Amino acid sequence: MPQIAQLGEFYSSQIFWLLIFFGITFFVVGRGMVPKVMDTVASRDKQIADDLKAAESARAQADAEEAAWRTRENANRAQAQGLIADARGQAAAAAAQRLAVAQAGIDATIVGAETRIADARRLAADEIETVAADATREIVSRIAGLSLDDAAVRGAVKENLVHG
Amino acid sequence: MAAEAKLDPMHQFQLEKLAGADWNIAGYNVAFTNSALWMAIATLALIVFVAGGMKRAVVPGRWQMAVETFTGFIDGMLAANVGKNGKKYVPYIFSLFMFILFANFLGLMPLGVVGVHAFTFTSHFSATGVLAVLSFAIVLIVGFSKHGFHFFSLFVPHGTPVGMIPIIFVVELISFLVRPFSLGLRLFVAMMAGHVLLEVLSSFVISGGNNGPIMFVIAGVPSFVLMVGICALELLVAGIQAYVFALLTCVYLNDAENLH
């Protein structure tokens, strides 16, 4: 077993070189490089944590802004609804008023027209009476040879037209 | 004789002086051996590996991700075992874990295919013992500097009856003092056993082949199949032993850092 057989010859060399090379490892790698590697990891973890925190606060702010916007939006909508209702009421009132005016004008026109129609009908009836009386008188004088009084003929015609 | 030596499963652990056979420091020989060479290779590979992960990009690439996974793993292990006081031990535990891990893996590399023989210096207790003593020394230094003589209360668990304190103290002290040995020997034994097993099985394959086709089918082929499986197991063991070494050091540091 060389580990024991050669111990006397080589123990000092083994110890010396192990201390040398482990020392180099410790001071160059352990003390020199490892802290930098761990710094990198720590700064990355910190950056990730910071970024997450920033994102979280940004989201909270966005939520707050959205809530504020929603409140404002609801108020605006309510105000707009109020304006629309007012405008609708005013428009309805104005329309009703204009309708009333128009109705009055139409009624007056209708009354005038009806009066005119009644006058025209009366005139037409008088005309027919006159024509009928003349025709009757003419017919009587031709057929019976009678010369009738104008007023009598007219009275008889009137009676027949009314009761006819 | 030389051909026979190649089938010796312990030959792979032979230390050889590569340079400086006469280098001495205060009378002690510090020749540069094949073991020292593989320590250097492990160190270099580790430096290259971690340096590759130092791009410090916010969005890491694959390599950086791999390095950060290891540092995060060690950081998590210390956080779980020692708590937030454990952060300052990350450089040491990381170096320890990665150094052993690289040593174990480099020793398992199939470099024999290209004629280079990988040497696993973690299969020598003269190397693992140094790491174990180092960890144990750190535990002692931290324990005594932080708690002074109160650190000895570690050997008297809570709720020990007064009459039992002397016995318990001795038992706990022994179990505490055994720690560096168990720490160093565990790694050394696990690595050595695995490498011996692979070597023995590979000698079965070669010897079986040398003894004709029937022996090759009976002994060689099953040994080869078993070897493939054991190789996978050894890769697992290489990781687990590095993890156990680092984890136990964390547990011991916890005793020193947070005295109950």
Side-chain angles (χ1 to χ4, degrees), chain A residues 127-142:
Chain A
E127 197 75 16
I128 287 168
E129 236 175 66
T130 311
V131 171
D134 284 351
T136 306
R137 190 160 43 85
E138 203 64 32
I139 290 164
V140 168
S141 73
R142 289 266 182 91

Side-chain angles (χ1 to χ4, degrees), chain B residues 107-142:
Chain B
L108 281 170
M109 289 290 129
L111 299 175
V113 174
V114 293
V116 182
H117 288 282
F119 183 87
T120 318
F121 65 83
T122 44
S123 65
H124 275 255
F125 61 81
S126 47
T128 60
V130 174
L131 294 174
V133 168
L134 212 56
S135 288
F136 192 67
I138 289 171
V139 169
L140 286 183
I141 291 166
V142 169

Side-chain angles (χ1 to χ4, degrees), chain A residues 1-7 9-44 47-48, chain B residues 10 13-15 17 25 28-33 35-36 39-40 43 46-47 50-51 54 56-58 60 64 68 75 90-92 94-96 99 123-124 126-127 130-131 134 188 192:
Chain A
M1 194 168 173
Q3 285 93 334
I4 294 168
Q6 292 184 303
L7 187 62
E9 189 184 353
F10 283 106
Y11 78 96
S12 52
S13 154
Q14 285 280 78
I15 293 168
F16 175 76
W17 289 111
L18 189 86
L19 287 176
I20 291 286
F21 287 117
F22 186 69
I24 292 172
T25 301
F26 177 66
F27 285 107
V28 174
V29 176
R31 299 289 293 269
M33 296 173 169
V34 169
K36 285 179 188 143
V37 172
M38 293 190 53
D39 268 2
T40 310
V41 175
S43 69
R44 180 190 307 129
Q47 191 181 340
I48 290 170
Chain B
M10 302 310 280
F13 303 120
Q14 204 80 33
L15 289 165
K17 290 181 183 175
I25 291 176
Y28 293 102
N29 180 264
V30 291
F32 194 81
T33 59
S35 171
M39 290 173 193
T43 304
L46 184 51
I47 289 172
V50 180
M54 294 252 296
R56 320 199 66 175
V58 174
Q64 191 184 341
E68 284 174 3
D75 193 33
V90 168
Y92 176 70
F94 181 84
S95 306
L96 194 64
F99 191 63
S123 65
H124 275 255
S126 47
V130 174
L131 294 174
L134 212 56
F188 143 68
M192 191 190 73

